[in-house]
Amino acid sequence: MAALAANRWERRLEKLVVIHAKRLKLEVYKFSSPGRRGVPDRMFINTRGRIAFLELKAPGKRPDALQLREIALMRKRGVLVGWSSQLLECQDFLDAFAEL
């Protein structure tokens, strides 16, 4: 039952993040990479054509080892990428990204 509640929260967080991103005039994509597990959930493109990724988690959850590896690899290559389970953190990330 806890997993169901966590999944509900993650979906709700995702919905609120998408609403906020669209208010910032960001393009938003539900991102999946067939054949490559661990990539972040959402991709955003700002009005200057820059790209960022966010991995969204339920409260108290962290990305698994594979997701952390992908995030580290993306950062190493200069990609703006983050993860959070908190709406305000996600909004702050997107606010900063929208200004880049």
Side-chain angles (χ1 to χ4, degrees):
M1 188 124 69
L4 183 58
N7 286 340
R8 267 193 238 135
W9 169 252
E10 197 169 312
R11 282 193 302 272
R12 176 96 172 117
L13 175 62
E14 195 164 351
K15 182 177 181 176
L16 294 171
V17 166
V18 168
I19 289 168
H20 186 74
K22 289 182 177 183
R23 284 186 188 138
L24 295 171
K25 297 186 176 20
L26 301 175
E27 292 296 323
V28 183
Y29 296 86
K30 175 75 173 170
F31 190 71
S32 68
S33 183
R36 187 164 187 144
R37 295 179 47 237
V39 296
D41 297 317
R42 288 286 177 167
M43 180 175 76
F44 304 89
I45 303 174
N46 70 13
T47 58
R48 292 166 200 78
R50 294 195 171 114
I51 296 173
F53 295 85
L54 255 179
E55 174 64 33
L56 304 172
K57 303 308 280 182
K61 300 291 182 182
R62 295 180 48 85
D64 63 31
L66 184 58
Q67 291 169 323
L68 289 172
R69 183 176 99 15
E70 285 297 318
I71 289 168
L73 176 65
M74 293 172 90
R75 284 183 178 153
K76 183 177 178 182
R77 294 181 183 253
V79 175
L80 181 60
V81 60
W83 72 269
S84 183
S85 62
Q86 301 297 316
L87 178 59
L88 290 177
E89 284 182 3
C90 293
Q91 288 173 331
D92 288 346
F93 178 91
L94 293 175
D95 290 345
F97 172 64
E99 297 299 317
L100 291 179

